[in-house]
Amino acid sequence: MIFRILNAFLLLSIAVHAFYLPGVAPTSYQPGDAVELFVNHITPTVPYDSHDEKRYLYSYDYYNPKFHFCEPEGGRKRQSESLGSVIFGDRIYNSPFHLEMLKNTTCNILCTSKVPQKDTEFFSKAIRTGFQYNWLIDGLPVARNMEDSKTETTYYSSGFALGLVDEDNVAHPYNNFNLFVEYHLREDGNYRVVGVTVYPESLGYKSESEPKCDSPELEPVTFNAEGETKITYTYSVYWIPSDTVWATRWDKYLHVYDPKIQWFSLLNFGFIVIVLSTILFNLLYHQLNKEIIKHNEINLDDDGIDDLGWKMVSGDVFRSPSNPMLLSVLLGSGAQLVLMAVVTCGFALLGLISPSNRGSLSTMVFVLYALFGFVGSFVSGTVYKFFDGQDWRVNMILTPILVPGLIFAAFILLNFSLIFVKSSGAVPIGTMLTIVAIWFVVSLPLSCLGSIFALRRKRIEPSCKVNQIARQIPHQPWCLRLPFLSLAAGIFPFGSIAIEMYFVYKSLWFSRIYYMFGFLFFCFLLMLATTLLVTLLVTYLILSNENYKWQWGSFIVGGGISFYVFVHAILLSKFQIRDLASIILYVGYSLLLSLGVGLMCGTVGFLGSMAFVLTIYKRIKTD
């Protein structure tokens, strides 16, 4: 899903941009060699000059018949893509553009397209709502040259708008594309592409056969209110020498948005973790030490024993919780997700995931999740055995099927929304079958192996014997009940990732390249650390009030962050979405993401509490 301590790690994050995976080899050219331009899907983005407040969150195929774009003479050909690339909606085809290395050309005619009246409304709406082109040259996105006003730096923003919207909210499609291709001359005489930018224009040519791209008198193309609209598409290519070497060509694209606020968030919650750690150390080390020593020194028959709080429930604290099977299965899946996220972010942080290899990040997420099925089942089986569970075969079956099955079912349902609106992001049935095949061939056998290892492993023995008759739990004040505790505890870990979640969501929904894995990695670690500390404190408070049902309590308290992640996505987001399919997609995937984060944090909270409970009850004397 993984991912420089302070300044040192910031420098490392800049350095790793130059690192590429083995196999992502550069392409060298000679003067006159053909350089292919591929077209990808039409994706939504945040419109800059739009008066239309609607937002759409699904993409369209570039050759969608309603756009009537120019097609290559030999017909369109689909390019091979990775599993992750397909899942995230990439649909890459060849194009009618002809580029030759070092050959400057101007006003080349692609074709004259005729857009029927029934499709002009669709096309103009796509322009007003911010849909954009996504082209590729030598693996690099064709980008706009942008300036970050906050950092006063320039960068390349991948993709560019379908057209412009004037002051009267009239849409004009871009039909002339000025491509500026940067190249680097190597010592061996070969040329390499190191950057591509575009300056699009909307030009209403008076002559379709001999368009004049440099004419200052041309008005923008306007869709006809009645009848079809003829659009003549042209392009120019300019080759620009550059000192940028191939290994660092992605530096211009990998822009860190608003680094000051991210550093502030990281340092702020790093300080909170230090404060929490200090408080807990003082409480759990000094206070507990005094309580344990005092307890062990007194006579257990002393009347003062009633005031000993958490020590009173030593005979019930290791009692099996309600529905131990479900809890152990959820914990196994949570451990699987945590490992997947940490390793993925770590690989991305170290530069082992190349942006040239489209879909590599999402492919790695899927593969690692399948491989860590072994760990998930091992954790699930170990915890279930600790709960004195007997149906280990059911545990073996449910762990690799329950949570992944629910995720896959939700994925299929959401995919129907994409199919309904004829989006290119709809995952084909062949890809679905491939995912299922990989799951059954790779993940299930590994999961079974993990369950067998857990079964053969010696059971983690409770520190105290369990009484035959359960102790009655005294009335709990409202402030120590699970709903309040989970909401109160979830605020702290959510604060550590709130800022980063905003940038992640913009990247996911509006086609921005996300490469701030240094911030993401450490925010993720802060989230887990804060969850652990807060859950330990809450577990101590629960036990001190003689409530021995800490198992589900620690899991739910640790997972309380999911509520805030979901609310942040739905209510506090600046994305204004009105299209029904987009709302379904946004709410559905936001819910899946929030539940996934809650599952990870809940698992960390439980495992930490389990180690805490085993440790403190091992040190006290019991009957």
Side-chain angles (χ1 to χ4, degrees):
M1 161 203 58
I2 282 179
F3 308 97
R4 351 185 189 97
I5 292 179
L6 301 179
N7 292 331
F9 281 95
L10 177 63
L11 295 175
L12 177 58
S13 69
I14 298 172
V16 297
H17 291 170
F19 189 91
Y20 283 81
L21 279 175
V24 186
T27 302
S28 297
Y29 300 92
Q30 288 294 316
D33 287 351
V35 180
E36 291 189 90
L37 185 152
F38 294 104
V39 293
N40 202 351
H41 52 176
I42 305 295
T43 58
T45 187
V46 181
Y48 292 94
D49 303 313
S50 174
H51 301 282
D52 194 326
E53 295 182 351
K54 291 184 180 180
R55 302 289 185 270
Y56 299 90
L57 302 180
Y58 47 83
S59 58
Y60 289 107
D61 195 309
Y62 180 85
Y63 291 115
N64 187 300
K66 291 188 177 183
F67 287 119
H68 300 274
F69 291 143
C70 304
E71 297 196 17
E73 294 181 1
R76 68 184 78 164
K77 296 179 182 179
R78 180 83 174 268
Q79 305 301 305
S80 60
E81 300 150 25
S82 66
L83 177 64
S85 182
V86 174
I87 292 175
F88 271 77
D90 282 343
R91 303 293 184 266
I92 303 175
Y93 292 91
N94 60 331
S95 74
F97 291 84
H98 296 282
L99 285 73
E100 297 180 13
M101 178 59 71
L102 301 185
K103 184 177 180 181
N104 293 331
T105 58
T106 58
C107 218
N108 303 289
I109 301 176
L110 283 174
C111 73
T112 297
S113 173
K114 298 178 181 179
V115 183
Q117 185 181 1
K118 61 183 180 68
D119 293 333
T120 56
E121 182 179 353
F122 173 85
F123 202 155
S124 61
K125 182 189 291 185
I127 294 173
R128 286 196 300 271
T129 53
F131 280 87
Q132 68 173 14
Y133 290 104
N134 292 278
W135 296 351
L136 300 168
I137 295 179
D138 194 53
L140 285 175
V142 177
R144 295 163 296 164
N145 198 340
M146 306 288 291
E147 181 177 353
D148 190 335
S149 58
K150 294 183 178 180
T151 60
E152 297 183 350
T153 57
T154 59
Y155 65 97
Y156 290 174
S157 178
S158 62
F160 60 100
L162 290 178
L164 59 90
V165 181
D166 62 21
E167 296 179 354
D168 299 322
N169 201 28
V170 176
H172 306 280
Y174 287 135
N175 64 320
N176 180 57
F177 310 101
N178 299 290
L179 296 166
F180 299 89
V181 186
E182 301 172 21
Y183 66 90
H184 177 71
L185 174 60
R186 289 168 49 85
E187 295 180 357
D188 58 7
N190 290 316
Y191 296 86
R192 290 180 179 172
V193 176
V194 294
V196 186
T197 56
V198 62
Y199 179 73
E201 297 175 298
S202 181
L203 303 177
Y205 296 121
K206 298 178 181 179
S207 173
E208 299 175 7
S209 58
E210 296 182 1
K212 296 181 179 180
C213 303
D214 56 351
S215 176
E217 301 176 355
L218 297 179
E219 297 291 332
V221 177
T222 304
F223 291 107
N224 293 330
E226 299 180 358
E228 66 180 15
T229 302
K230 292 184 179 181
I231 305 176
T232 300
Y233 288 95
T234 58
Y235 68 99
S236 302
V237 183
Y238 304 95
W239 296 89
I240 302 173
S242 174
D243 294 330
T244 303
V245 297
W246 185 89
T248 60
R249 64 179 187 163
W250 276 94
D251 289 1
K252 305 170 186 176
Y253 294 86
L254 306 179
H255 179 66
V256 177
Y257 297 94
D258 219 343
K260 289 184 178 180
I261 191 171
Q262 295 191 68
W263 272 114
F264 175 79
S265 174
L266 189 64
L267 295 174
N268 185 39
F269 279 91
F271 175 74
I272 291 176
V273 168
I274 294 174
V275 172
L276 278 174
S277 301
T278 305
I279 295 173
L280 281 175
F281 177 80
N282 181 69
L283 175 67
L284 301 182
Y285 183 77
H286 295 292
Q287 183 65 26
L288 280 174
N289 244 355
K290 293 178 182 178
E291 291 185 12
I292 291 171
I293 293 172
K294 181 179 179 180
H295 172 79
N296 291 340
E297 288 178 349
I298 67 173
N299 190 330
L300 292 177
D301 295 327
D302 196 321
D303 292 338
I305 196 71
D306 291 335
D307 299 325
L308 293 178
W310 61 270
K311 296 167 284 298
M312 291 292 295
V313 295
S314 60
D316 297 278
V317 74
F318 294 108
R319 189 178 300 279
S320 180
S322 59
N323 209 336
M325 178 70 74
L326 177 60
L327 179 56
S328 60
V329 169
L330 293 177
L331 291 169
S333 296
Q336 192 174 349
L337 284 171
V338 169
L339 276 177
M340 176 208 73
V342 171
V343 175
T344 303
C345 283
F347 282 166
L349 172 66
L350 297 174
L352 297 176
I353 299 177
S354 170
S356 294
N357 191 359
R358 299 185 68 85
S360 58
L361 181 64
S362 47
T363 300
M364 178 168 286
V365 166
F366 178 76
V367 171
L368 287 176
Y369 186 71
L371 292 177
F372 285 134
F374 173 86
V375 178
S377 290
F378 179 79
V379 171
S380 176
T382 301
V383 173
Y384 186 63
K385 195 173 183 179
F386 173 71
F387 291 155
D388 202 22
Q390 302 301 317
D391 297 331
W392 63 270
R393 291 183 180 87
V394 178
N395 179 268
M396 178 188 291
I397 295 171
L398 283 180
T399 301
I401 291 179
L402 182 61
V403 173
L406 291 174
I407 294 173
F408 190 68
F411 180 69
I412 292 176
L413 290 175
L414 292 172
N415 198 54
F416 277 114
S417 299
L418 294 172
I419 294 174
F420 179 77
V421 296
K422 299 179 181 180
S423 169
S424 66
V427 179
I429 185 64
T431 304
M432 293 282 195
L433 294 176
T434 301
I435 293 173
V436 173
I438 292 175
W439 193 255
F440 278 94
V441 172
V442 178
S443 185
L444 279 181
L446 289 173
S447 297
C448 292
L449 189 62
S451 295
I452 293 172
F453 269 77
L455 179 65
R456 294 182 176 180
R457 185 178 184 271
K458 183 180 179 181
R459 178 177 180 244
I460 300 174
E461 294 296 333
S463 306
C464 305
K465 292 182 180 180
V466 178
N467 296 334
Q468 292 183 352
I469 301 176
R471 178 186 177 88
Q472 184 177 358
I473 300 175
H475 175 75
Q476 302 292 301
W478 65 269
C479 59
L480 286 181
R481 294 179 181 176
L482 276 182
F484 175 80
L485 287 175
S486 60
L487 290 178
I491 295 176
F492 297 97
F494 170 73
S496 63
I497 63 165
I499 299 298
E500 211 59 37
M501 286 292 296
Y502 173 78
F503 295 102
V504 169
Y505 264 69
K506 270 203 168 184
S507 174
L508 285 174
W509 295 111
F510 293 108
S511 304
R512 289 190 176 183
I513 297 177
Y514 183 88
Y515 208 68
M516 297 175 285
F517 292 105
F519 290 112
L520 180 62
F521 182 73
F522 284 102
C523 286
F524 183 76
L525 292 183
L526 283 175
M527 178 189 72
L528 296 182
T530 309
T531 299
L532 175 62
L533 295 171
V534 172
T535 307
L536 289 178
L537 180 59
V538 171
T539 300
Y540 173 75
L541 293 175
I542 290 175
L543 294 175
S544 296
N545 210 49
E546 299 180 21
N547 182 358
Y548 55 83
K549 295 183 178 181
W550 61 272
Q551 296 94 336
W552 275 107
S554 61
F555 178 78
I556 294 173
V557 167
I561 184 178
S562 60
F563 173 79
Y564 296 99
V565 172
F566 186 71
V567 169
H568 174 265
I570 302 301
L571 299 180
L572 303 183
S573 171
K574 295 181 180 180
F575 309 143
Q576 300 174 358
I577 309 166
R578 297 183 182 178
D579 174 66
L580 180 59
S582 296
I583 292 174
I584 293 173
L585 289 171
Y586 189 79
V587 173
Y589 281 115
S590 295
L591 182 60
L592 281 178
L593 180 61
S594 61
L595 291 177
V597 173
L599 193 58
M600 288 189 290
C601 292
T603 300
V604 170
F606 172 87
L607 294 178
S609 296
M610 178 179 170
F612 170 69
V613 171
L614 284 168
T615 301
I616 63 173
Y617 282 98
K618 187 177 181 179
R619 295 186 59 191
I620 65 172
K621 295 178 182 179
T622 58
D623 287 329

